[in-house]
Amino acid sequence: CIFQNSLLPSDQIQTLVSFAVKTLELKIFGIFYPNSPYGLYFKNLFAQEVSRQGGKVFNAVAYQEEQTDFSHEIKGFFKIEAVKDQDSPRRRWGDEFQSGITLDGLFIPDTHDRVGLILSQIGYYDIQGLTFLGTNAWNGPDLIPIAGKSAEGAIFIDAFFKKNPSSASLRFVETFRKAYQRDPETLEALGYDGAKLLGEVLRSKPISSPLQLSEEISKIQNFQGVSGLKGFGEGGKPLRTFSILKVNNGKVELVGPQ
């Protein structure tokens, strides 16, 4: 059996949509996605999961991978209209905007730097009452610096969060910093968990064959991994509890699992 110690897209999206629908009580969603295999795959996964959990996807719009100006897509998707600024003596058109549609959530399966650009440009058009939703690719250094206040309230998912207050996570981060003089990332947390789980199995009893090792690994269901790993299920798929992260007052905070 091959054990997949990775972030399965389907598990990630199921966690994200469940939190959005059940905890945040969002019902109507839109999708902004890059015209790439990654973007299309996550767009379809999200739409299917929203439908399965009783929500509705209003619309989806694609943009090019290297795009930096999203004004055309934003204005078309949200049916943006320019309105007069009543406080201006000249009452110019285009100083204020209003959206012709109402959404609860907008899913953007892209990297933290480009998502930052998209959120900042949506913020320019003063679109209110929208919760932004993302994948683990949002968990990077450029999201908040680029998006600014537009990122407030955004929700995204990852397997590892370096500020997780659990004792196991605190020990891992502290040990990693001492060894490498920097913070660990998700891939390193995944590697750490894989090695730690394997080490526990090998220390628990003598292992005489690869088949026995596979069987012993399959028995583990309550491993306390820093990346949320609990064990492995059917076909070697990981059993994982994802961290649900939220941008609050310009910082990323852990808000789930709950």
Side-chain angles (χ1 to χ4, degrees):
C1 181
I2 297 175
F3 297 97
Q4 306 172 52
N5 184 21
S6 58
L7 279 66
L8 297 184
S10 56
D11 291 348
Q12 196 176 160
I13 293 302
Q14 185 175 348
T15 300
L16 178 66
V17 173
S18 180
F19 185 79
V21 172
K22 296 176 182 176
T23 302
L24 302 181
E25 298 183 343
L26 309 183
K27 295 179 176 62
I28 304 175
F29 300 87
I31 307 173
F32 255 52
Y33 67 99
N35 188 16
S36 66
Y38 177 91
L40 186 62
Y41 183 67
F42 270 92
K43 171 245 184 186
N44 290 334
L45 269 183
F46 184 84
Q48 291 165 9
E49 189 62 27
V50 165
S51 177
R52 192 182 73 84
Q53 296 201 30
K56 179 182 178 182
V57 173
F58 169 78
N59 199 1
V61 63
Y63 54 84
Q64 298 309 307
E65 283 189 89
E66 302 306 319
Q67 197 168 324
T68 56
D69 182 354
F70 305 93
S71 57
H72 177 75
E73 287 79 8
I74 293 170
K75 287 190 285 187
F77 184 87
F78 289 100
K79 304 186 187 306
I80 300 293
E81 293 182 359
V83 296
K84 290 180 179 179
D85 183 351
Q86 300 298 323
D87 297 325
S88 170
R90 296 182 180 179
R91 292 194 174 184
R92 296 173 298 175
W93 286 97
D95 289 336
E96 292 185 358
F97 304 93
Q98 65 182 17
S99 173
I101 66 168
T102 301
L103 293 178
D104 299 321
L106 182 67
F107 175 59
I108 311 174
D110 209 339
T111 56
H112 54 98
D113 50 348
R114 192 151 46 234
V115 170
L117 284 174
I118 295 171
L119 299 194
S120 67
Q121 291 176 37
I122 290 177
Y124 171 76
Y125 291 102
D126 197 31
I127 297 167
Q128 303 292 327
L130 190 60
T131 299
F132 298 111
L133 305 167
T135 68
N136 68 300
W138 285 31
N139 195 13
D142 294 328
L143 176 67
I144 295 174
I146 295 176
K149 292 182 179 179
S150 299
E152 281 295 307
I155 300 289
F156 56 98
I157 305 292
D158 207 345
F160 172 69
F161 181 52
K162 63 186 177 183
K163 295 181 181 179
N164 190 314
S166 74
S167 58
S169 183
L170 290 172
R171 284 196 303 271
F172 168 62
V173 172
E174 181 181 359
T175 304
F176 191 95
R177 283 173 177 165
K178 286 181 179 178
Y180 301 104
Q181 290 76 53
R182 65 175 179 85
D183 289 336
E185 303 294 340
T186 297
L187 282 176
E188 290 144 349
L190 293 172
Y192 172 81
D193 278 350
K196 190 169 186 290
L197 184 146
L198 182 59
E200 289 184 4
V201 170
L202 294 174
R203 285 191 297 269
S204 67
K205 62 178 64 177
I207 301 295
S208 59
S209 69
L211 178 60
Q212 185 191 0
L213 178 59
S214 177
E215 290 173 348
E216 293 300 324
I217 291 175
S218 298
K219 291 178 184 178
I220 297 175
Q221 302 289 299
N222 58 354
F223 180 74
Q224 300 295 313
V226 298
S227 68
L229 183 67
K230 295 183 291 184
F232 296 93
E234 186 177 349
K237 291 184 177 181
L239 304 174
R240 189 183 309 281
T241 300
F242 283 92
S243 296
I244 302 170
L245 308 174
K246 179 180 181 179
V247 179
N248 186 32
N249 293 323
K251 295 180 179 180
V252 178
E253 296 181 352
L254 183 68
V255 295
Q258 295 182 331

